[in-house]
Amino acid sequence: MSSVRVLVGTKKGAFILTSDGKREKWEVNGPHFGGWEIYHMKGSLVDPNRIYVSQTSGWFGQLIQRSDDGGKTFYPTGTKLEDLMGPDGMPKGTGNMFVYDTSPETGKPLTTHQFYDGTQHPWEFKRVWHLEPSLTDAETVFAGVEDAAMFKTTDGGTTWHELSGMRGHGTGPNWAPGAGGLGLHTILLDHTNHERMYVAISAAGAFRTDDGGKTWKPITKGLSSNYMPDPTAEIGHCVHRIAMHKAKPNTLYMQKHWDVLRTDDAGENWHEVSGNLPTDFGFVIDVHAHEPETIYVVPIKSDSEHYPPEGKLRVYRSKTGGNDWEPLTNGLPQSDCYVNILRDAMCVDSLDSCGVYFGTTGGQVYCSPDGGDNWKPIVRDLPAVLSVEVQTLP
């Protein structure tokens, strides 16, 4: 029987939840890296036992951890463990280096971006927000980082180099951070065209490459953000998340700061599909594993009140690719619930029927084994959840 492995990153450690295909009984393993922020964990499609982890600390810096046995054990990539630890047993935080490319050879020696107050500010590496393993090679991984840039490893995380063509697109000096920072948080790989990738940046917008990351173009035509001096400018939209179904790669869905949007031409043109949602603000958006027109969002009251309207936690599902939305409530708290669901905290498995998962800042991880009709918490009282990913295992 197939099984699932749910990878949960939290403010204070990583947790691994496992169940068989029924998804009724769950085993909770963790915390791994207790006390550290785990922004993201993701397994390789090529080798499901290969799991990459972004482990961050304001004191000790950034480490990329790796497991080759399905999460039983981890080790930091790049530097030997004994060379990473100080005499007090605490990590030195120098294991995995992310160094921005400012070499003249690229022709794009970028050194500053725009700050909150409109002045220029030096690019500074802070953390890895998102890890996206290659579809064809377990040793190759893409990393989205803050300040916004994209890095790549081809040796399993030992070394990383920047795909500097994105910052070097020409608009980089005009990128400015959103409330949570200037983070590259979404990386989508096209299953039918391995040279094509999409990324999203808060608060620069969305970009596409058609040559494996050498060059990039903004894909924001149709977006409108009233808080910008020019609401339809090419750069500056606060994109929270984009999603894609692998069988329909030219169709993308976007949850923006305000608005839910859709494109059917690989990002060349977007149109709003917020329809009858109670609010079009939110962070997560995802697509059913077997139905490319079935999508999920979790509306949040506003950009200052990051909790569900009326204190009712409701996932909204559209089976028509947007505009027509139905609230899904069975098993979710419908009173006095004031949690948030962050941008990387929703995912789907590929079982039949499709399972949908999301985590909250209140420390719950919910699962629906039937495409959203019924929900239950599979674990409670974790630290605030930053990310949720699921692996469907044979």
Side-chain angles (χ1 to χ4, degrees), residues 29 32 147 205 340:
N29 182 263
H32 302 277
D147 289 331
N340 194 6

Side-chain angles (χ1 to χ4, degrees), residues 25-222:
K25 297 180 180 179
W26 292 85
E27 180 177 338
V28 180
N29 182 263
H32 302 277
F33 325 113
W36 287 65
E37 288 184 337
I38 306 300
Y39 260 66
H40 197 221
M41 309 170 68
K42 193 150 190 181
S44 167
L45 280 178
V46 180
D47 177 4
N49 282 329
R50 174 74 64 84
I51 298 171
Y52 293 95
V53 181
S54 169
Q55 177 189 4
T56 304
S57 163
W59 289 345
F60 302 115
Q62 173 73 54
L63 292 174
I64 298 298
Q65 297 276 355
R66 173 176 145 183
S67 174
D68 294 325
D69 56 12
K72 295 183 178 66
T73 59
F74 292 88
Y75 62 93
T77 61
T79 304
K80 293 180 180 178
L81 182 61
E82 55 268 30
D83 294 332
L84 281 172
M85 310 301 285
D88 57 356
M90 299 302 291
K92 297 177 181 177
T94 57
N96 316 110
M97 300 299 293
F98 291 81
V99 179
Y100 293 99
D101 184 0
T102 57
S103 65
E105 287 76 13
T106 67
K108 310 291 183 184
L110 297 182
T111 56
T112 62
H113 63 78
Q114 195 173 123
F115 202 47
Y116 292 102
D117 60 2
T119 62
Q120 287 295 298
H121 189 80
W123 291 89
E124 296 176 290
F125 173 79
K126 298 180 177 67
R127 56 181 62 82
V128 173
W129 280 39
H130 185 95
L131 293 164
E132 192 65 35
S134 160
L135 300 174
T136 57
D137 176 16
E139 296 287 301
T140 297
V141 185
F142 301 95
V145 312
E146 179 189 0
D147 289 331
M150 188 166 174
F151 285 77
K152 179 181 181 180
T153 179
T154 56
D155 53 18
T158 302
T159 58
W160 297 83
H161 69 275
E162 185 188 359
L163 300 179
S164 56
M166 189 173 56
R167 282 194 310 136
H169 158 261
T171 62
N174 298 324
W175 298 359
L182 182 57
L184 193 161
H185 50 71
T186 302
I187 302 172
L188 298 179
L189 308 180
D190 189 327
H191 286 247
T192 64
N193 177 359
H194 293 167
E195 293 293 297
R196 172 169 286 185
M197 296 183 282
Y198 302 88
V199 303
I201 298 171
S202 297
F207 298 80
R208 188 186 79 211
T209 178
D210 293 318
D211 56 15
K214 296 182 180 67
T215 60
W216 297 78
K217 63 177 290 186
I219 49 170
T220 53
K221 185 178 179 182

Side-chain angles (χ1 to χ4, degrees), residues 295-350:
I295 53 179
Y296 303 88
V297 296
V298 182
I300 299 300
K301 189 174 179 182
S302 75
D303 54 0
S304 60
E305 300 164 289
H306 284 179
Y307 46 74
E310 304 172 45
K312 299 177 179 179
L313 182 55
R314 291 168 290 190
V315 176
Y316 276 73
R317 177 176 62 193
S318 173
K319 292 188 174 182
T320 57
N323 286 320
D324 299 315
W325 298 89
E326 58 175 326
L328 308 173
T329 62
N330 193 12
L332 298 176
Q334 294 305 293
S335 64
D336 304 325
C337 183
Y338 297 96
V339 298
N340 194 6
I341 295 87
L342 300 177
R343 66 186 81 246
D344 244 338
M346 175 177 270
C347 62
V348 299
D349 68 34
S350 58

